[in-house]
Amino acid sequence: MEQENKFVSMIKDQRITIIPEFQLQSGIVLHDVSVAYKTWGKLNQKKNNVMLICNVYTGSADFTEVWSPLMIGKGKAFDTTIFFVFCANVIGSAYGTSSPLTMNPDTGKLYGPTFPLTTPRDDVRLHKLVLDSLGVKQVAICIGGSLGGMQVLEWALVGKQKDGDEEFVKAIVPIATCAKLSAWAIAWNEVQRQIIYNDPLYCDGYYDPENPPSRGLFIARMNALITYRSRNAFESNFGRDVKEHDNYDANEPPFYQVQSYLHYQSDKFIKRFDANCYISLTHKMDNHDISKGRGGDVNNVLKSINQPALILGLKEDVLFPISEQYKLAENIPNSEIITLGIEDGHCAFLNEIDTLNNLILGFIKKHLGEIYDAKIESEFDE
Amino acid sequence: MEQENKFVSMIKDQRITIIPEFQLQSGIVLHDVSVAYKTWGKLNQKKNNVMLICNVYTGSADFTEVWSPLMIGKGKAFDTTIFFVFCANVIGSAYGTSSPLTMNPDTGKLYGPTFPLTTPRDDVRLHKLVLDSLGVKQVAICIGGSLGGMQVLEWALVGKQKDGDEEFVKAIVPIATCAKLSAWAIAWNEVQRQIIYNDPLYCDGYYDPENPPSRGLFIARMNALITYRSRNAFESNFGRDVKEHDNYDANEPPFYQVQSYLHYQSDKFIKRFDANCYISLTHKMDNHDISKGRGGDVNNVLKSINQPALILGLKEDVLFPISEQYKLAENIPNSEIITLGIEDGHCAFLNEIDTLNNLILGFIKKHLGEIYDAKIESEFDE
């Protein structure tokens, strides 16, 4: 059942596939599951030149709206002349894959707050069905940060190809992520949920779509935004600067630049996202644990990742600290780790354009030379 | 006008002084200002054996409810046999000093959300009037953490004694604090205010005292509590442990131990604090800047602090990071800095009992030997 709502219509040129039946990690079975995805470039004859981008938390299937255009295209990290680039929306998101905004075919009503719990592993298994339907034999490289990075780790654990000895995913680039969500990140998610729950318009999730709990979502986003940056970035960007004039001497509190920033960004966000979807994604993140159902020992599971891995972390990441990236690097046997960012926090990976272009291109040439060179050669032939 | 409310009655044996008129840093003049305070021990003949404790954010005049009893009494850091210990409640707090819960004598109504903006400097100036009324000539040592530490820095800048060449405050121990509030801390305060504002019971601050916006205050406290701890402390205390049983496989989200902790602590808090008072304190903290009205250069103002200073910081402090403590130490000429805590955050200073006892006692013996030895000698004489 294809979902139609104002958020889905924000995403241009995406395709929607319907999966008739899909069992979640929780055991619950969903019917008529929509999966929204986009592709760029062409699948080669061997059907193995796939670059899989796992988008960020509140992103859509269109990763180009989040990542810099300077990273996309010929000679860039996301080279659409060499790779068949694929990006799909996660379950529970507002942008076209099944979510609280979707009609539940079993009841004929919107899922709303009854939408089931999902995990990054669910997303990977669902998106793989789409790749299978497109005839993809192998993913050359899988890249993603934050929630996307959790999926990247799950992709690494998908296993071998159906008809081959090689891993289905050949190489991975997890960025600013973790193998299991920390108590710290669960705590932030909990606060953000409670903020939304307490909005008078939330109505236990059965709110009027025309009059949603926007203020709660606004404040939850404000909270999240702080965790995406860092103390030092805020200090150098805003300090104690005051918006307009310093009316401190009147009996009205000054409106500091940092407040203005948080209000402006959160105001943009509530125009493009839904409260129930937001809550669904916080639970998805809380449920992330690659060791679940795989023996329970995260280090052992990481040690079983055979693929070459380029692990990227942010020095000042408050949410997924660099120590968690080192934990990945210490356990994934064929990995290298690079620390990005001088003082900014979690989200800074989206801004480190030159560094990322160089690092990802270098990693591709080292580990996926076959695909890269084949393409370059075929260009000479043309 | 003495305030009477359920929060004030929670504090045992405190005294309330009324200051007829008091001008705030903002220029606004308050009338009939209540100041709640407590004392322990005896003022000596020279009236200079005063230990001033500046309590934490949501604390009262009774610092013994926050600090460990193992730090209080003979031979301890807070030695009430040697010092006349003084602690007063800050303006805007719920525990007896004038606040949104107080009657405004100019209107005959409760201040509520109209209570004026205040600063830590206002508290210091107001509390000094009480010390003056008690005949105090000099404060031997001033100790406080967090918001209390901001007051400690303002106390250091009070200047000379009325009739002497010595500083009014002889020595200071600022703990886990800052010279001016960072954009980062302002951001957290802003989120917490917005959470309370959005509670349906808040009513722009004119709420029913019998039906206050407790849920908003609960969530704001939850948010604050996370910033008081650290990622690693949460991880080692809670990890991904689930309260009761792991009901992950049902379609109900697990209730993680870290959620349980936040709910439990925040539930305790809303029984002992008021929403308008909480908002008032966030603004007070935002307004903290020791350079305001003193030339605007924080480093220069710190350099003008003549007193010996023992600066204590927490290694993993998220809110007032150790870098801010180093900034104090680099600029205050006669200072030493000690880093406390292995992995816990901001609030850990309250738990470092043995270390604090040793450090503060050592500092006292080094810089206040005259007072310490005089007392010890007089004991031998008895």
Side-chain angles (χ1 to χ4, degrees):
Chain A
M1 186 131 325
E2 189 173 331
Q3 71 168 278
E4 269 310 327
N5 64 58
K6 64 177 177 177
F7 304 111
V8 176
S9 61
M10 290 174 184
I11 314 305
K12 288 182 202 133
D13 305 324
Q14 68 178 357
R15 276 175 280 181
I16 308 251
T17 283
I18 308 293
I19 306 291
E21 187 173 292
F22 183 74
Q23 184 170 31
L24 298 168
Q25 203 181 340
S26 68
I28 285 175
V29 176
L30 295 178
H31 294 106
D32 297 341
V33 181
S34 308
V35 193
Y37 69 96
K38 285 193 75 164
T39 66
W40 296 258
K42 284 182 189 164
L43 193 59
N44 64 8
Q45 276 201 322
K46 288 184 179 171
K47 300 182 190 295
N48 69 352
N49 66 329
V50 177
M51 174 179 277
L52 196 59
I53 312 278
C54 302
N55 208 353
V56 297
Y57 200 32
T58 60
S60 68
D62 193 353
F63 77 99
T64 69
E65 293 205 336
V66 173
W67 293 83
S68 164
L70 297 174
M71 287 188 65
I72 303 163
K74 194 178 166 101
K76 312 292 186 186
F78 307 139
D79 192 332
T80 50
T81 68
I82 290 178
F83 291 102
F84 175 64
V85 179
F86 175 93
C87 181
N89 190 220
V90 297
I91 319 173
S93 172
Y95 298 121
T97 294
S98 285
S99 80
L101 296 171
T102 315
M103 187 81 80
N104 178 352
D106 299 340
T107 66
K109 293 178 185 164
L110 289 185
Y111 281 106
T114 71
F115 193 75
L117 293 177
T118 65
T119 65
R121 197 181 301 171
D122 288 327
D123 293 314
V124 165
R125 287 177 47 253
L126 184 68
H127 295 169
K128 181 160 188 306
L129 297 178
V130 182
L131 290 181
D132 290 346
S133 76
L134 296 174
V136 167
K137 296 279 183 210
Q138 191 175 36
V139 169
I141 184 166
C142 179
I143 304 172
S146 196
L147 178 66
M150 298 175 202
Q151 293 166 62
V152 170
L153 295 175
E154 288 288 352
W155 273 111
L157 293 160
V158 158
K160 309 275 182 195
Q161 298 175 77
K162 226 181 264 173
D163 45 5
D165 285 337
E166 286 193 24
E167 297 282 349
F168 182 70
V169 174
K170 280 194 83 168
I172 59 169
V173 184
I175 307 171
T177 190
C178 62
K180 58 175 183 178
L181 204 74
S182 67
W184 179 249
I186 293 172
W188 289 121
N189 282 341
E190 171 65 3
V191 168
Q192 290 165 38
R193 279 189 296 265
Q194 293 293 338
I195 291 169
I196 296 171
Y197 292 161
N198 201 40
D199 189 294
L201 298 176
Y202 182 65
C203 307
D204 292 328
Y206 297 95
Y207 48 81
D208 176 357
E210 299 302 315
N211 195 22
S214 298
R215 194 74 198 167
L217 187 60
F218 174 93
I219 303 166
R221 176 66 168 184
M222 202 183 263
N223 182 298
L225 278 173
I226 309 178
T227 67
Y228 297 162
R229 305 294 302 275
S230 75
R231 186 264 171 205
N232 291 339
F234 268 19
E235 198 59 19
S236 58
N237 280 316
F238 308 117
R240 295 182 53 76
D241 291 350
V242 169
K243 181 88 180 160
E244 287 164 13
H245 65 288
D246 184 348
N247 52 1
Y248 166 81
D249 290 323
N251 190 27
E252 204 182 309
F255 194 62
Y256 293 97
Q257 282 290 2
V258 66
Q259 291 171 277
S260 174
Y261 162 81
L262 293 173
H263 283 244
Y264 176 77
Q265 293 294 336
S266 303
D267 204 48
K268 283 208 303 193
F269 181 69
I270 58 175
K271 296 182 179 110
R272 72 165 182 87
F273 218 77
D274 170 75
N276 275 332
C277 290
Y278 193 85
I279 288 168
S280 179
L281 295 188
T282 65
H283 283 304
K284 183 200 292 285
M285 210 183 255
D286 286 359
N287 286 339
H288 173 62
D289 179 354
I290 61 165
S291 75
K292 184 110 190 166
R294 294 188 180 115
D297 184 321
V298 164
N299 290 353
N300 278 348
V301 177
L302 288 173
K303 284 182 174 65
S304 78
I305 293 180
N306 299 310
Q307 295 90 333
L310 171 63
I311 297 158
L312 304 175
L314 280 302
K315 197 172 148 228
E316 299 276 332
D317 196 329
V318 172
L319 207 50
F320 300 103
I322 193 68
S323 60
E324 295 200 52
Q325 317 315 313
Y326 274 98
K327 190 173 166 118
L328 300 183
E330 282 158 17
N331 288 289
I332 299 177
N334 190 9
S335 66
E336 54 186 308
I337 180 166
I338 307 280
T339 304
L340 307 171
I342 297 167
E343 62 170 21
D344 211 344
H346 182 60
C347 272
F349 67 85
L350 294 168
N351 309 324
E352 298 276 330
I353 297 160
D354 287 344
T355 312
L356 279 176
N357 265 333
N358 289 334
L359 288 171
I360 294 174
L361 271 178
F363 181 74
I364 288 171
K365 285 175 187 169
K366 184 172 169 190
H367 295 287
L368 304 168
E370 195 188 348
I371 290 167
Y372 206 82
D373 297 341
K375 179 65 184 176
I376 302 298
E377 280 164 24
S378 76
E379 279 188 354
F380 277 106
D381 293 344
E382 276 165 17
Chain B
M1 184 131 326
E2 189 174 330
Q3 70 168 280
E4 268 311 328
N5 65 58
K6 63 177 176 176
F7 304 111
V8 176
S9 61
M10 291 174 183
I11 314 305
K12 288 183 199 132
D13 305 325
Q14 68 178 355
R15 276 176 278 180
I16 308 256
T17 284
I18 307 295
I19 306 291
E21 188 174 292
F22 183 74
Q23 185 170 29
L24 297 168
Q25 204 180 342
S26 68
I28 284 174
V29 175
L30 295 177
H31 294 106
D32 297 341
V33 181
S34 307
V35 193
Y37 69 96
K38 286 193 75 164
T39 67
W40 296 258
K42 284 181 186 166
L43 193 59
N44 64 7
Q45 276 202 321
K46 288 183 178 171
K47 299 181 188 298
N48 70 350
N49 67 328
V50 178
M51 174 179 277
L52 196 58
I53 311 278
C54 302
N55 208 352
V56 297
Y57 200 33
T58 60
S60 68
D62 193 354
F63 77 98
T64 69
E65 294 205 334
V66 173
W67 293 82
S68 164
L70 297 174
M71 287 188 64
I72 302 163
K74 192 177 168 108
K76 311 293 184 186
F78 307 140
D79 191 332
T80 50
T81 67
I82 289 178
F83 291 102
F84 176 63
V85 179
F86 176 93
C87 181
N89 190 220
V90 297
I91 320 173
S93 171
Y95 298 120
T97 294
S98 286
S99 80
L101 297 170
T102 314
M103 187 80 81
N104 178 351
D106 299 341
T107 65
K109 293 178 186 165
L110 289 187
Y111 280 106
T114 71
F115 192 76
L117 293 177
T118 66
T119 65
R121 197 182 302 173
D122 288 327
D123 293 314
V124 165
R125 287 176 48 252
L126 184 68
H127 295 169
K128 182 162 186 306
L129 297 179
V130 182
L131 290 181
D132 290 346
S133 75
L134 297 174
V136 167
K137 297 284 184 206
Q138 192 175 35
V139 169
I141 184 165
C142 179
I143 304 171
S146 196
L147 178 66
M150 298 175 202
Q151 292 167 63
V152 170
L153 295 175
E154 288 287 352
W155 274 110
L157 293 161
V158 158
K160 309 277 183 191
Q161 299 174 75
K162 223 180 264 172
D163 45 7
D165 285 338
E166 286 193 22
E167 297 282 349
F168 182 70
V169 173
K170 280 194 83 168
I172 60 169
V173 184
I175 308 170
T177 190
C178 63
K180 58 176 182 178
L181 204 74
S182 67
W184 178 249
I186 294 171
W188 289 120
N189 282 341
E190 171 65 2
V191 169
Q192 290 165 38
R193 279 189 295 266
Q194 293 294 337
I195 291 169
I196 296 172
Y197 293 161
N198 201 41
D199 189 293
L201 298 175
Y202 181 65
C203 307
D204 291 328
Y206 297 96
Y207 47 83
D208 177 357
E210 300 302 315
N211 195 22
S214 297
R215 195 74 198 167
L217 187 60
F218 175 93
I219 303 166
R221 177 65 169 185
M222 202 182 264
N223 181 298
L225 279 172
I226 309 177
T227 67
Y228 298 162
R229 305 294 302 276
S230 75
R231 186 264 172 205
N232 291 339
F234 268 19
E235 199 58 20
S236 58
N237 280 316
F238 308 117
R240 296 181 55 76
D241 291 351
V242 167
K243 181 87 180 160
E244 288 165 11
H245 65 287
D246 185 347
N247 51 2
Y248 167 82
D249 289 321
N251 190 26
E252 204 182 309
F255 194 62
Y256 293 98
Q257 282 290 0
V258 67
Q259 291 171 278
S260 174
Y261 162 82
L262 293 173
H263 282 242
Y264 177 77
Q265 293 295 336
S266 303
D267 204 49
K268 283 207 306 192
F269 181 68
I270 58 174
K271 296 182 177 109
R272 71 166 184 87
F273 218 77
D274 170 75
N276 275 331
C277 289
Y278 192 85
I279 288 168
S280 179
L281 295 189
T282 65
H283 284 303
K284 184 200 292 286
M285 211 182 254
D286 285 359
N287 285 338
H288 173 61
D289 180 354
I290 61 166
S291 75
K292 183 109 189 168
R294 292 187 181 117
D297 183 320
V298 165
N299 290 354
N300 277 349
V301 177
L302 289 172
K303 284 182 174 61
S304 78
I305 293 180
N306 299 309
Q307 294 92 332
L310 172 63
I311 297 159
L312 303 175
L314 280 301
K315 196 173 150 230
E316 298 277 333
D317 196 329
V318 172
L319 207 49
F320 300 104
I322 193 69
S323 61
E324 295 201 52
Q325 317 315 313
Y326 274 99
K327 189 171 165 121
L328 300 182
E330 281 158 19
N331 288 288
I332 299 176
N334 190 9
S335 66
E336 53 186 309
I337 180 167
I338 307 279
T339 303
L340 307 171
I342 297 167
E343 62 171 23
D344 210 346
H346 181 59
C347 272
F349 67 85
L350 294 168
N351 308 325
E352 298 276 329
I353 297 161
D354 288 344
T355 311
L356 279 176
N357 265 334
N358 289 334
L359 287 171
I360 294 174
L361 271 178
F363 181 74
I364 287 171
K365 285 174 187 168
K366 182 172 170 192
H367 295 287
L368 304 167
E370 196 188 349
I371 291 166
Y372 205 84
D373 297 341
K375 180 64 186 178
I376 302 297
E377 280 163 25
S378 78
E379 281 189 353
F380 276 107
D381 293 346
E382 275 164 16

